[in-house]
Amino acid sequence: VALAKATDKDRAKLIGESEEKLAGALTEAQTADWVKNPPEPLLRFNYRFQRWVDVLEEVAKQAGLSLVLEAPPPGTFNYSDSREYTPTEAIDLLNGVLVTKGFTLVRRDKMLVLVDLSEGIPEGLIPRVTMEELGNRGKFEMVSVLFPLNNRPAAAVTAEIQPLKGPHGKIVPLSATGQLLLTDTAGIMKAIGAVIDSMPIPPPSPTPKTPETPVAAVYPIKTGDPPTALKVLQTLLPTATFALDPK
């Protein structure tokens, strides 16, 4: 409560005092883990008709990212509440508003890039993540995911997920490797992954049999009637070739 009511100057002092108390209560192992995996900073939104460039610069700075943009979105940002947000949540909140203006924020390493969707998304900019890593991304964040098809036809899978694709999504079938590369928002990826998993997996194609090489053989007929034997053999083995040698 005191932290929420404190001014910026007193807030920094209170945070420092809290960290000192926490450090004294932790074991060496806990302290080492704290240093190795520090908690994410928490961001607050208190903007009244603020210029977008100022909002984006401040959020990027608080999140420990470098802002990259050519031109800010038009208009201003007007939003305020008492909740604290992680960087992922803060960027997702901004993306929920920016997408209505034709823009989106893309996290790439230590950069926060503002993309004008009307000009398309630059190739190679969107980070590629696994399904397990989607939990670290906001539902409005653009990401790329490789989906294994597991012998499912690429055309059938593409047709099935096409209605789920967002307005800026992109599907690239990789037939040679049996995969599908999809670029879209993280929230849509989860739904698409569930649809692909629900599609039946076709049985593997049977291995073609190697045709046998024909061989020639001579069978002497010591008893019986050779022409009659020839007719019987031709009836039983229609694909074989017989030649009767009267001698």
Side-chain angles (χ1 to χ4, degrees), residues 219-234 242-247:
Y219 298 94
I221 301 176
K222 296 181 180 180
T223 60
D225 180 34
T228 302
L230 178 62
K231 290 181 180 180
V232 173
L233 290 171
Q234 288 175 334
F242 296 95
L244 181 60
D245 181 5
K247 295 182 180 180

Side-chain angles (χ1 to χ4, degrees), residues 17 23 41 44 56 76 82-83 103 108 120 186 207 224:
E17 292 175 350
R44 299 181 68 178
L56 297 177
T76 57
S82 58
R83 180 188 165 188
F103 290 81
R108 182 81 186 196
T207 304

Side-chain angles (χ1 to χ4, degrees), residues 51-65:
R51 294 191 313 161
W52 271 105
V53 65
D54 296 331
V55 174
L56 297 177
E57 284 180 349
E58 184 173 344
V59 170
K61 181 180 179 181
Q62 292 187 52
L65 302 171

